[in-house]
Amino acid sequence: MKIKIIGLGKMGLNLVSNLVANKHEVVCFDINDSQREAAKKLGATPTDTLDEFFALDTEQTINWLMLPSGKITEDMIKTCHEKLNAGDILIDGGNSKFADSVHHYHFLKEKDIHFLDVGTSGGMSGARDGACMMVGGEQAIFNQIEELFEDLCVEKGYLYCGEAGSGHYLKMVHNGIEYGMMQAIGEGFNLLHHSRFDYDLEQVARVFNNGSVVRSWLMELTEKALKENPTMSGISGQVPSSGEGKWTVEEMLEMQQSAPVITQSLLTRYASMDTEKYGEKVIASLRNQFGGHEIPKK
Ligand SMILES: O=C(O)[C@H](O)[C@@H](O)[C@H](O)[C@H](O)COP(=O)(O)O
Protein backbone atom coordinates (compact mmCIF):
# COMPACT_ATOMS: atom_id res chain seq x y z
CA MET A 1 0.00 0.00 0.00
CA LYS A 2 0.99 3.61 -0.33
CA ILE A 3 0.96 5.35 3.05
CA LYS A 4 1.43 9.06 3.61
CA ILE A 5 2.83 10.02 7.00
CA ILE A 6 2.97 13.41 8.67
CA GLY A 7 5.21 13.61 11.73
CA LEU A 8 8.63 12.00 11.71
CA GLY A 9 9.49 12.21 15.39
CA LYS A 10 10.52 9.27 17.59
CA MET A 11 7.38 7.29 16.75
CA GLY A 12 6.80 8.48 13.18
CA LEU A 13 10.30 7.66 11.99
CA ASN A 14 10.17 4.16 13.47
CA LEU A 15 6.79 3.64 11.85
CA VAL A 16 8.31 4.62 8.51
CA SER A 17 11.03 2.03 9.05
CA ASN A 18 8.40 -0.61 9.84
CA LEU A 19 6.30 0.28 6.78
CA VAL A 20 9.30 0.24 4.45
CA ALA A 21 10.44 -3.13 5.87
CA ASN A 22 6.96 -4.44 5.07
CA LYS A 23 7.28 -3.23 1.46
CA HIS A 24 4.85 -0.36 1.69
CA GLU A 25 5.49 2.79 -0.29
CA VAL A 26 5.90 5.71 2.11
CA VAL A 27 5.52 9.40 1.31
CA CYS A 28 6.11 11.63 4.31
CA PHE A 29 6.50 15.11 5.72
CA ASP A 30 7.94 16.76 8.80
CA ILE A 31 8.74 20.43 9.40
CA ASN A 32 12.22 19.37 10.47
CA ASP A 33 14.78 18.91 7.64
CA SER A 34 16.87 16.40 9.54
CA GLN A 35 13.84 14.16 10.16
CA ARG A 36 12.95 14.25 6.45
CA GLU A 37 16.53 13.35 5.64
CA ALA A 38 16.39 10.44 8.11
CA ALA A 39 13.16 9.18 6.52
CA LYS A 40 14.79 9.32 3.10
CA LYS A 41 17.66 7.18 4.37
CA LEU A 42 15.10 4.64 5.53
CA GLY A 43 13.71 4.40 2.00
CA ALA A 44 10.71 6.75 2.21
CA THR A 45 9.98 9.70 -0.05
CA PRO A 46 9.76 12.92 1.95
CA THR A 47 8.26 16.02 0.41
CA ASP A 48 9.82 19.42 1.09
CA THR A 49 6.52 21.14 1.82
CA LEU A 50 3.06 20.25 3.04
CA ASP A 51 1.54 21.56 -0.19
CA GLU A 52 3.68 19.12 -2.10
CA PHE A 53 2.66 16.36 0.30
CA PHE A 54 -1.03 16.93 -0.39
CA ALA A 55 -0.63 17.74 -4.10
CA LEU A 56 0.85 14.46 -5.21
CA ASP A 57 -2.19 12.20 -5.51
CA THR A 58 -5.30 11.89 -7.59
CA GLU A 59 -6.57 8.60 -6.15
CA GLN A 60 -7.76 7.70 -2.64
CA THR A 61 -4.98 8.23 -0.12
CA ILE A 62 -4.21 6.71 3.27
CA ASN A 63 -2.80 9.41 5.52
CA TRP A 64 -1.27 8.77 8.92
CA LEU A 65 -0.61 11.46 11.53
CA MET A 66 2.07 10.71 14.10
CA LEU A 67 2.15 14.03 15.92
CA PRO A 68 2.13 15.26 19.52
CA SER A 69 -1.45 15.29 20.79
CA GLY A 70 -3.35 18.52 21.33
CA LYS A 71 -2.96 21.64 19.26
CA ILE A 72 -0.42 20.29 16.77
CA THR A 73 -2.64 17.33 15.87
CA GLU A 74 -5.75 19.53 15.96
CA ASP A 75 -4.25 22.04 13.53
CA MET A 76 -3.07 19.32 11.18
CA ILE A 77 -6.51 17.72 11.14
CA LYS A 78 -7.95 21.10 10.10
CA THR A 79 -5.39 21.24 7.29
CA CYS A 80 -6.29 17.69 6.26
CA HIS A 81 -9.97 18.64 6.25
CA GLU A 82 -9.08 21.37 3.80
CA LYS A 83 -6.63 19.46 1.62
CA LEU A 84 -7.85 15.87 1.48
CA ASN A 85 -10.60 14.64 -0.82
CA ALA A 86 -13.80 12.72 -0.23
CA GLY A 87 -12.97 9.03 0.21
CA ASP A 88 -9.48 9.63 1.58
CA ILE A 89 -8.55 7.95 4.85
CA LEU A 90 -6.97 9.81 7.75
CA ILE A 91 -5.47 7.95 10.71
CA ASP A 92 -4.46 9.64 13.95
CA GLY A 93 -1.88 7.30 15.44
CA GLY A 94 -0.87 9.68 18.24
CA ASN A 95 -1.99 9.85 21.85
CA SER A 96 -5.02 12.08 21.27
CA LYS A 97 -7.78 12.49 23.78
CA PHE A 98 -10.67 10.21 22.78
CA ALA A 99 -13.25 13.02 22.93
CA ASP A 100 -11.15 15.03 20.46
CA SER A 101 -11.08 12.00 18.17
CA VAL A 102 -14.86 11.68 18.27
CA HIS A 103 -15.03 15.34 17.27
CA HIS A 104 -12.43 14.84 14.52
CA TYR A 105 -14.41 11.93 13.11
CA HIS A 106 -17.56 14.06 12.71
CA PHE A 107 -15.62 17.07 11.46
CA LEU A 108 -13.95 15.03 8.69
CA LYS A 109 -17.18 13.23 7.90
CA GLU A 110 -18.55 16.58 6.65
CA LYS A 111 -16.24 16.10 3.67
CA ASP A 112 -16.62 12.32 3.55
CA ILE A 113 -13.02 11.85 4.74
CA HIS A 114 -12.75 8.60 6.70
CA PHE A 115 -11.15 8.91 10.11
CA LEU A 116 -9.63 6.17 12.26
CA ASP A 117 -8.30 6.83 15.78
CA VAL A 118 -5.45 4.45 16.48
CA GLY A 119 -3.94 4.10 19.93
CA THR A 120 -0.36 2.96 19.40
CA SER A 121 1.58 1.20 22.10
CA GLY A 122 4.94 -0.48 22.39
CA GLY A 123 7.15 2.59 22.38
CA MET A 124 9.78 3.29 19.76
CA SER A 125 10.92 -0.32 19.38
CA GLY A 126 7.30 -1.39 18.93
CA ALA A 127 6.70 1.20 16.23
CA ARG A 128 9.80 -0.09 14.43
CA ASP A 129 9.59 -3.85 14.91
CA GLY A 130 5.97 -4.60 15.74
CA ALA A 131 3.52 -2.42 17.60
CA CYS A 132 0.23 -2.84 19.41
CA MET A 133 -2.65 -0.87 17.89
CA MET A 134 -6.16 -0.14 19.09
CA VAL A 135 -8.40 1.04 16.29
CA GLY A 136 -11.61 3.06 16.43
CA GLY A 137 -13.76 4.22 13.51
CA GLU A 138 -15.94 2.68 10.84
CA GLN A 139 -15.51 -1.06 10.55
CA ALA A 140 -15.65 -0.97 6.73
CA ILE A 141 -12.67 1.40 6.62
CA PHE A 142 -10.75 -0.72 9.10
CA ASN A 143 -11.51 -3.82 6.99
CA GLN A 144 -10.29 -2.05 3.87
CA ILE A 145 -6.84 -1.44 5.36
CA GLU A 146 -6.60 -4.23 7.92
CA GLU A 147 -3.57 -5.62 6.07
CA LEU A 148 -1.69 -2.52 7.18
CA PHE A 149 -2.28 -3.30 10.86
CA GLU A 150 -1.32 -6.91 10.26
CA ASP A 151 2.01 -5.72 8.88
CA LEU A 152 2.73 -3.06 11.49
CA CYS A 153 1.80 -5.00 14.60
CA VAL A 154 3.09 -8.03 16.41
CA GLU A 155 1.01 -11.18 16.09
CA LYS A 156 -2.43 -10.65 17.72
CA GLY A 157 -1.26 -7.07 18.35
CA TYR A 158 -4.18 -5.09 16.95
CA LEU A 159 -7.84 -4.78 17.78
CA TYR A 160 -10.76 -3.17 16.01
CA CYS A 161 -12.49 -1.66 19.04
CA GLY A 162 -15.63 -0.11 17.59
CA GLU A 163 -16.93 3.33 16.76
CA ALA A 164 -14.87 6.51 16.51
CA GLY A 165 -13.05 7.38 19.71
CA SER A 166 -12.90 3.81 21.03
CA GLY A 167 -9.30 3.31 19.88
CA HIS A 168 -7.97 6.33 21.73
CA TYR A 169 -10.24 5.59 24.70
CA LEU A 170 -8.70 2.15 25.03
CA LYS A 171 -5.20 3.61 24.74
CA MET A 172 -6.09 6.11 27.47
CA VAL A 173 -7.10 3.33 29.87
CA HIS A 174 -4.04 1.32 28.81
CA ASN A 175 -1.87 4.23 29.87
CA GLY A 176 -3.76 4.57 33.14
CA ILE A 177 -2.85 0.94 33.81
CA GLU A 178 0.71 1.71 32.72
CA TYR A 179 0.89 4.51 35.32
CA GLY A 180 -0.30 2.18 38.09
CA MET A 181 2.04 -0.66 37.14
CA MET A 182 5.04 1.63 36.95
CA GLN A 183 4.13 3.21 40.27
CA ALA A 184 4.03 -0.22 41.92
CA ILE A 185 7.42 -1.13 40.45
CA GLY A 186 8.88 2.21 41.57
CA GLU A 187 7.54 1.81 45.10
CA GLY A 188 8.72 -1.78 45.43
CA PHE A 189 12.21 -0.96 44.25
CA ASN A 190 12.29 2.11 46.50
CA LEU A 191 11.52 -0.10 49.49
CA LEU A 192 14.19 -2.58 48.45
CA HIS A 193 16.67 0.28 47.96
CA HIS A 194 16.03 1.37 51.58
CA SER A 195 15.77 -2.17 52.85
CA ARG A 196 17.41 -3.68 55.92
CA PHE A 197 18.91 -6.26 53.52
CA ASP A 198 21.55 -5.58 50.92
CA TYR A 199 19.97 -6.48 47.59
CA ASP A 200 21.55 -6.11 44.18
CA LEU A 201 18.53 -4.52 42.52
CA GLU A 202 19.53 -5.38 38.97
CA GLN A 203 19.68 -9.02 40.08
CA VAL A 204 16.32 -8.62 41.79
CA ALA A 205 14.78 -7.36 38.52
CA ARG A 206 16.46 -10.26 36.71
CA VAL A 207 15.03 -12.87 39.04
CA PHE A 208 11.60 -11.20 38.90
CA ASN A 209 11.81 -11.55 35.13
CA ASN A 210 12.39 -15.27 35.25
CA GLY A 211 9.31 -17.19 36.21
CA SER A 212 7.85 -14.74 38.71
CA VAL A 213 4.27 -13.47 38.64
CA VAL A 214 5.45 -9.91 38.00
CA ARG A 215 7.69 -10.73 35.02
CA SER A 216 6.84 -8.28 32.24
CA TRP A 217 8.23 -5.86 29.67
CA LEU A 218 8.19 -3.12 32.30
CA MET A 219 10.23 -5.36 34.59
CA GLU A 220 12.65 -6.09 31.74
CA LEU A 221 13.02 -2.35 31.26
CA THR A 222 13.58 -2.00 35.01
CA GLU A 223 16.38 -4.56 34.78
CA LYS A 224 17.91 -2.69 31.83
CA ALA A 225 17.65 0.69 33.58
CA LEU A 226 19.26 -0.71 36.75
CA LYS A 227 22.05 -2.29 34.73
CA GLU A 228 22.77 1.03 33.05
CA ASN A 229 22.47 3.14 36.20
CA PRO A 230 22.25 1.05 39.40
CA THR A 231 22.19 4.08 41.71
CA MET A 232 19.83 6.11 39.49
CA SER A 233 22.42 8.85 39.74
CA GLY A 234 21.93 12.10 37.88
CA ILE A 235 18.14 11.57 37.67
CA SER A 236 15.99 14.27 39.27
CA GLY A 237 13.12 12.08 40.44
CA GLN A 238 10.55 14.24 38.70
CA VAL A 239 8.09 12.19 36.64
CA PRO A 240 6.32 14.17 33.91
CA SER A 241 3.10 13.04 32.28
CA SER A 242 1.60 13.76 28.87
CA GLY A 243 -2.10 13.68 29.68
CA GLU A 244 -3.35 10.12 29.31
CA GLY A 245 -3.29 9.45 33.07
CA LYS A 246 -5.14 12.70 33.75
CA TRP A 247 -7.80 11.86 31.16
CA THR A 248 -8.22 8.39 32.68
CA VAL A 249 -8.85 9.94 36.08
CA GLU A 250 -11.22 12.54 34.59
CA GLU A 251 -13.16 9.76 32.90
CA MET A 252 -13.24 7.76 36.14
CA LEU A 253 -14.84 10.75 37.89
CA GLU A 254 -17.25 11.35 35.01
CA MET A 255 -18.37 7.71 35.11
CA GLN A 256 -18.44 7.77 38.94
CA GLN A 257 -16.09 4.81 39.11
CA SER A 258 -13.20 4.16 41.44
CA ALA A 259 -9.58 3.79 40.29
CA PRO A 260 -7.50 4.65 43.36
CA VAL A 261 -4.23 3.13 42.16
CA ILE A 262 -4.25 4.99 38.86
CA THR A 263 -5.37 8.20 40.57
CA GLN A 264 -2.68 7.92 43.23
CA SER A 265 0.01 7.23 40.65
CA LEU A 266 -1.03 10.36 38.76
CA LEU A 267 -0.98 12.44 41.96
CA THR A 268 2.41 11.02 42.87
CA ARG A 269 3.73 12.16 39.50
CA TYR A 270 2.30 15.63 40.03
CA ALA A 271 3.84 15.80 43.51
CA SER A 272 7.18 14.68 42.09
CA MET A 273 7.21 17.71 39.79
CA ASP A 274 6.93 20.11 42.74
CA THR A 275 10.47 20.90 43.80
CA GLU A 276 9.35 23.94 45.85
CA LYS A 277 7.26 21.83 48.28
CA TYR A 278 5.41 24.91 49.51
CA GLY A 279 2.52 22.83 50.89
CA GLU A 280 4.87 20.65 52.97
CA LYS A 281 6.60 23.80 54.25
CA VAL A 282 3.20 25.06 55.45
CA ILE A 283 2.52 21.71 57.18
CA ALA A 284 5.92 21.77 58.92
CA SER A 285 5.18 25.32 60.04
CA LEU A 286 1.79 24.28 61.43
CA ARG A 287 3.35 21.45 63.47
CA ASN A 288 5.69 24.01 64.85
CA GLN A 289 2.85 26.43 65.63
CA PHE A 290 0.64 24.00 67.55
CA GLY A 291 3.18 21.58 68.95
CA GLY A 292 6.48 23.42 68.98
CA HIS A 293 7.94 20.72 66.72
CA GLU A 294 11.18 21.67 65.06
CA ILE A 295 11.01 22.75 61.40
CA PRO A 296 13.70 20.89 59.42
CA LYS A 297 15.79 23.50 57.63
CA LYS A 298 17.51 23.22 54.22
O1 LIG B 1 2.03 2.56 25.27
C1 LIG B 1 3.03 3.20 25.01
O2 LIG B 1 3.82 2.93 24.09
C2 LIG B 1 3.32 4.42 25.84
O3 LIG B 1 2.27 4.64 26.72
C3 LIG B 1 3.54 5.65 25.00
O4 LIG B 1 2.33 6.00 24.37
C4 LIG B 1 4.17 6.84 25.71
O5 LIG B 1 5.44 6.51 26.13
C5 LIG B 1 3.29 7.36 26.82
O6 LIG B 1 2.26 8.11 26.26
C6 LIG B 1 3.96 8.21 27.85
O7 LIG B 1 2.94 8.73 28.67
P1 LIG B 1 3.23 9.69 29.84
O8 LIG B 1 4.09 10.79 29.27
O9 LIG B 1 1.90 10.21 30.26
O10 LIG B 1 3.94 8.90 30.86
Side-chain angles (χ1 to χ4, degrees), residues 95 120-123 171 174-175 178-179 240-244 269:
N95 275 337
T120 309
S121 185
K171 179 66 182 9
H174 166 279
N175 277 38
E178 185 180 289
Y179 276 45
S241 55
S242 325
E244 301 261 12
R269 284 195 190 197

Side-chain angles (χ1 to χ4, degrees), residues 94-194:
N95 275 337
S96 293
K97 195 172 182 177
F98 81 93
D100 291 346
S101 297
V102 173
H103 167 72
H104 293 149
Y105 168 81
H106 291 292
F107 174 60
L108 292 158
K109 192 82 184 156
E110 288 170 4
K111 273 191 69 180
D112 213 16
I113 297 164
H114 306 298
F115 180 72
L116 295 178
D117 51 288
V118 175
T120 309
S121 185
M124 294 177 290
S125 59
R128 189 179 59 247
D129 302 323
C132 166
M133 293 185 176
M134 309 153 215
V135 189
E138 285 170 24
Q139 171 117 48
I141 304 303
F142 166 77
N143 291 346
Q144 195 190 322
I145 60 165
E146 182 172 356
E147 180 197 326
L148 190 57
F149 297 110
E150 239 169 65
D151 286 346
L152 286 175
C153 298
V154 293
E155 210 185 333
K156 300 182 188 168
Y158 66 90
L159 177 71
Y160 172 70
C161 304
E163 65 190 81
S166 61
H168 280 151
Y169 189 101
L170 188 58
K171 179 66 182 9
M172 173 188 80
V173 176
H174 166 279
N175 277 38
I177 295 170
E178 185 180 289
Y179 276 45
M181 290 172 72
M182 288 199 288
Q183 184 65 33
I185 292 173
E187 288 178 14
F189 276 80
N190 180 54
L191 187 55
L192 292 170
H193 174 67
H194 293 99

